[in-house]
Amino acid sequence: MSDLKEFMGKKVHVITADARFFEGVLQGYDNSTNIILQDCIERILYSEEDVDEENQEIPLGLYIIRGGEVACVGEIDPAKYATIDWSTLKASTLKTTKNPL
Amino acid sequence: MLPLYLLTAAKNKPVLIELKTGETYQGDLVNLDPWMNLTLSNVIHTNTGADEFSKETEVYIRGMHIKYLRIPDEIMDYAKEQNLLNMEQRNKNVKRRGGDRNQSGGGGRDHRRGGRGGNRRFQGDRHYNNNHHYQQRDNE
């Protein structure tokens, strides 16, 4: 099993099964990938088509996300992160987490 | 820190739970178990569309249906504090046991054996010896 240990205490992005995009400091996890995110925010990004929508950043505080919901956890590189302008960033819709057979 | 440990520290504090269905429950966390099954009191339930609300005095939520939980920010500091206190307590115990073993030299193994519930009765004299070492150390 790969390990979230290296991400402990660092800022991470989390993508959940319902296609939400969270950002926060990873403060803990367990065997079932339940994770603790401190100073958690949710980012809502719109695609090129949604012209009149503005990207949002919703402060959420301290969050525990159930392991079953976690699709992806990624460490943030602070240097690269600083160059991102979240308000103008465009993103395309995520594909479903369910694999059609 | 384990998520369940943090959640335990949030007992009697207001929490917000969203289920996989999108329904949310807001209330005071009464109790939880290792499967993250929870009981809440004084609950406000919101349906998936967030347009209907209802009040419940007490609800039981099965852990597997939870999507996420939101808990008050200060719980993190509280849990860390509790953790530290527990660690200190444990260190004290370890130190005490370790010191004993050093004093009695080869007898350390005996002590460990004596520590197990079942054998203890039959090693009453050895146990006494260990206590004796204790007293000696204290006098030194």
Side-chain angles (χ1 to χ4, degrees):
Chain A
M1 208 171 95
S2 60
D3 213 349
L4 282 173
K5 200 174 168 184
E6 300 145 42
F7 297 171
M8 280 294 283
K10 293 185 178 142
K11 230 177 164 192
V12 292
H13 278 143
V14 177
I15 295 172
T16 55
D18 56 348
R20 282 200 240 197
F21 183 48
F22 295 104
E23 181 181 316
V25 181
L26 184 71
Q27 289 290 7
Y29 64 96
D30 61 17
N31 289 333
S32 35
T33 336
N34 299 323
I35 54 176
I36 304 172
L37 287 184
Q38 195 178 28
D39 303 322
C40 186
I41 60 170
E42 180 182 351
R43 290 194 186 280
I44 303 178
L45 304 172
Y46 289 95
S47 61
E48 301 283 359
E49 289 95 79
D50 301 309
V51 185
D52 46 348
E53 298 281 6
E54 241 177 66
N55 288 347
Q56 287 179 57
E57 185 183 314
I58 307 162
L60 300 169
L62 187 54
Y63 249 51
I64 297 176
I65 305 178
R66 280 281 292 191
E69 284 293 307
V70 177
C72 171
V73 181
E75 189 187 345
I76 293 175
D77 180 342
K80 279 185 187 158
Y81 181 81
T83 65
I84 300 172
D85 181 5
W86 291 99
S87 58
T88 58
L89 192 74
K90 294 291 175 192
S92 47
T93 314
L94 287 167
K95 285 182 192 163
T96 175
T97 52
K98 296 193 177 61
N99 286 317
L101 289 173
Chain B
M1 186 186 306
L2 294 172
L4 276 169
Y5 188 89
L6 183 70
L7 202 54
T8 312
K11 263 189 201 175
N12 303 318
K13 298 287 188 312
V15 294
L16 180 145
I17 323 270
E18 182 166 323
L19 302 188
K20 292 193 167 154
T21 58
E23 294 160 81
T24 63
Y25 289 88
Q26 277 181 84
D28 297 331
L29 181 64
V30 177
N31 219 338
L32 69 149
D33 68 11
W35 294 274
M36 219 188 263
N37 302 325
L38 317 167
T39 42
L40 304 180
S41 66
N42 303 319
V43 184
I44 298 171
H45 167 240
T46 310
N47 77 341
T48 306
D51 49 9
E52 280 174 42
F53 306 89
S54 60
K55 243 182 173 176
E56 245 75 64
T57 49
E58 192 150 31
V59 290
Y60 174 79
I61 298 172
R62 220 162 114 82
M64 64 172 293
H65 295 295
I66 295 170
K67 187 188 285 173
Y68 61 74
L69 308 110
R70 183 181 183 175
I71 55 185
D73 294 349
E74 64 269 19
I75 299 297
M76 195 71 208
D77 299 324
Y78 176 70
K80 275 182 181 164
E81 233 169 72
Q82 289 292 313
N83 203 0
L84 219 67
L85 284 175
N86 287 342
M87 293 264 265
E88 263 169 34
Q89 195 61 46
R90 210 174 308 149
N91 281 346
K92 259 184 217 165
N93 291 340
V94 166
K95 245 182 233 160
R96 208 191 299 159
R97 245 182 285 140
D100 187 15
R101 202 183 299 154
N102 289 340
Q103 284 287 318
S104 54
R109 201 194 281 163
D110 286 343
H111 172 249
R112 226 187 300 162
R113 222 189 286 156
R116 266 188 222 150
N119 290 342
R120 195 180 222 151
R121 237 179 301 157
F122 307 108
Q123 296 185 337
D125 51 342
R126 283 186 182 159
H127 197 71
Y128 168 77
N129 281 342
N130 279 334
N131 283 341
H132 185 63
H133 282 302
Y134 240 119
Q135 282 165 359
Q136 260 188 341
R137 192 187 53 187
D138 286 345
N139 291 338
E140 277 164 19

